[in-house]
Amino acid sequence: MLIPIAAIAALASLFGLLLGYSAIRFRVEGDPIADQIDALLPQSQCGQCGYPGCRPYAEAVAAGEAEINGCAPGGEATMLALADLLGREPVEVDAQAAPPAMVAIVDEQACIGCTKCLQACPVDAIVGAAKQLHGIIASECTGCGLCIDPCPVDCIHLEPVPETTATWKWPYPVPRPTRQPVNQSANPSGQWQPQAAVPDVGPPDDAHRPAA
Amino acid sequence: MNFIPFHAGSRQRKLWQFHGGLHLPDEKTLSNTEPAAPLPLPSQLVIPLQQHIGTPARACVAVGDRVRTGQVIGEPQGPVSAPVHASTSGVVTAIEPRAVPHPSGLQAPCVIIDADGLDQWAELPPPIPAFKQTAADDLRQRIRQSGIVGMGGASFPADVKLAPGGEHPVETLIINGAECEPYITCDDRLMREHAADIIDGVHIMLHILDARRCLVGIEDNKPEAIAAMRQAVSAAGLERLIEVVCIPTLYPSGGEKQLIRILTGKEVPSHDIPARIGLLVQNVGTAMAVADAVLRGRPLIERLVTVSGRGVAHPRNFRVRIGTPAAALVAASGGYRPDQARLVIGGPMMGYAVESDAIPVTKSLNCVLALTSAESPDPGPAQPCIRCGRCAEVCPARLLPQQLYWHARAKDLDKVQDYNLFDCIECGCCALVCPSHIPLVQYYRYAKTESWAREREKQAAEHARQRHAAREARLQRLERERQARLRQKKAAAPAKATAAGAKAGARTGAKTGAVAGTKTASQHADRQAAIEAARKRAAERRQAKAATADPAASPPPTANAGQETNAGETR
């Protein structure tokens, strides 16, 4: 009776010491979960989730204080990625598809050079000085829209980022209706369909016969 | 399998076979019987500023400028980029987005030149006939200046490809003359008509790479091209260096990795380039352009283009200036036949359909294909996959097209990459044999471009995160500095405070009649009294102000007040 108790007690204290030691020795700085969540967020710093930036929202989600569907620019894809990461159930997202990428544009005729948008921009994408025309560095703009409200003359608006040949994506093949003009759109992949193509693998029937 | 016996000049070379592939009706005789005809100069040229992989060139001419043939009109930006040259002399009438040969049908920045018909050449860099005595870097520089890109279709800048770096020296240069896609015959005609130039280009590239040998792979359905190339090799006396190899016709033997497999038996590692295993593949057209650039100083301003298909009256090859509209090519081929149904840029297997022929010829455009509906029948709607596995049997990259299809269809981009989506060369064999007519390649192209877009978004997000963090850090630093200044001010305050305290003490002393203003009182007590007095005064002021301001309800003045008024006026 005593020996098992002693053995269990010895093991318990051994593992206790081991765990205690590792907790000190391999201590993780920061919150790795929040880091992982932060990495999944689009980093537009728009504040639409109700938190001042992506990092605070990531920390709130990590702490279980915020829902995973708070990120509007991320849309459903981000929500699903968060659900996958955190092992939570997917929840309803307001906008199904992520909104298109936007970029802010300053109306040069109306800008009075008040510098208010400069202070509002979370990524320092607006350049300018007092009483000087402000300009937006399009490549740095995340399209968060935080500069729009502070502008006293409403000279900033968002526009979708124009699609170029470099950013264009092949469309997802849609099951097409049976009747369509035979012209270009009928076969958008440009796939040629000759009748006399012969595979180099012998007759297909043989190829499918399981090896004896 | 790794050891390859090499017999210079031998025509009995051991060849290997790649997995899968298809025997296609090659349709080459439609267009390869006549020599390539020079196309008359069109009245207007549209020259895209991006005709290569990498950063687009930046226009270095202005609207209204006169340009001469061969003059640089777009300068390369960054290391992986290529310049663009005026293909004829004339006046730049616009620099604006125009439709370019791209599956999207989108517009891209182009320089538009109204030709003057004189075709006056600009001053060209001097020819380098003694290239053997010239340093490889100088030759690479010349190739870069001449705007040469891979002309087999990928259009990767040739100078970058010819500089593979020190750790993987290139032993064997492979010249791709396979031209395995049906209909296309421009490389065939080029080899028949300019074999000597191609061999010169190969010789130059061998010198640049310091490679030991060169294999020219040509499919056996081009016997005239093989004969011409062999003759050119013997005429140049380069039999010990260059071997022209006749390879069996099997689509897609002209794929880079497939050709390497056929000629050397080696496999290029997944996600890697042939230079990794000491090989480098260049197209015959690129070799020709290299010879032009080095031996004649001429930049890449023209190329051979096949116009074929049963949808044009007279299919043939043309020698075309870059920027010529495809419509001019079709017109020179006798125009469309009434039963023309589709216009394809590139071959029927890997090309893409375009809506209009109002697009210019670019450095990598090899074929304009007008197909009739009989040649490209509508396969009908896609049926469910029956898991027959024929796609996997024909896949030359030895992938599992069916698995790729499932995951691409489910938009599972991680899974589809686990099945090596990016090793897919989009040859189209799987889609062609699919009995259910599933547009497999379209699914893979969708998954590839979607993955790239996600990657771009991820990088943009990381960039924005860094900028946000930098801004936060800056704001915090400014706040710290402000606090530090305040503290400094406070530290400087005691001197004044003592003086103020002395006065205050004198006043209180006068009221209470106690001895004040003398040096016997401790400084600490003085200071305390001064603070107390200041607080009392501040409180009184606040009360007084609140009493007067409340009825008016005017906000406290802020630093931005002036600007707000200003803004109000503008509004």
Side-chain angles (χ1 to χ4, degrees), chain B residues 382-441:
Chain B
Q383 306 291 321
C385 172
I386 56 167
R387 300 173 190 256
C388 64
R390 287 174 73 182
C391 48
E393 285 163 12
V394 298
C395 180
R398 286 202 283 189
L399 298 174
L400 296 171
Q402 211 187 92
Q403 299 300 318
L404 289 170
Y405 163 62
W406 294 125
H407 294 305
R409 205 176 85 147
K411 303 187 181 182
D412 191 341
L413 298 179
D414 293 329
K415 256 310 192 351
V416 78
Q417 284 180 46
D418 289 348
Y419 284 92
N420 296 315
L421 170 73
F422 286 102
D423 284 337
C424 168
I425 58 169
E426 301 175 25
C427 65
C429 288
C430 51
L432 189 65
V433 298
C434 179
S436 294
H437 304 305
I438 299 169
L440 291 164
V441 178

Side-chain angles (χ1 to χ4, degrees), chain A residues 119 123-124 140 172 176 208, chain B residues 380 388 409 463 471 474:
Chain A
Q119 294 151 27
V123 289
D124 282 338
E140 309 295 350
Y172 183 77
R176 58 209 176 80
H208 286 286
Chain B
C388 64
R409 205 176 85 147
H463 186 66
R471 179 189 157 86
R474 192 193 75 221

Side-chain angles (χ1 to χ4, degrees), chain A residues 43 45 119 121-124 131 140 152 168 170 172 176 183-184 187 189-190 192-194 198-200 208, chain B residues 17 22-23 104 341-342 348 354 375 378 380 388 409 432 445 449 461 463-465 467-468 471 474 566 571:
Chain A
Q43 303 297 331
Q45 321 292 349
Q119 294 151 27
C121 181
V123 289
D124 282 338
K131 311 252 173 184
E140 309 295 350
W168 177 79
W170 279 90
Y172 183 77
R176 58 209 176 80
N183 208 331
Q184 285 84 7
N187 197 351
S189 64
W192 180 53
Q193 300 283 345
V198 187
D200 198 48
H208 286 286
Chain B
Q17 217 187 353
L22 284 173
H23 292 294
S104 63
R342 295 207 307 141
V354 288
E375 282 176 295
D378 185 358
C388 64
R409 205 176 85 147
L432 189 65
R445 283 171 167 167
T449 46
H463 186 66
R465 199 183 61 73
R467 279 185 78 88
H468 182 62
R471 179 189 157 86
R474 192 193 75 221
N566 193 352
R571 211 191 312 232

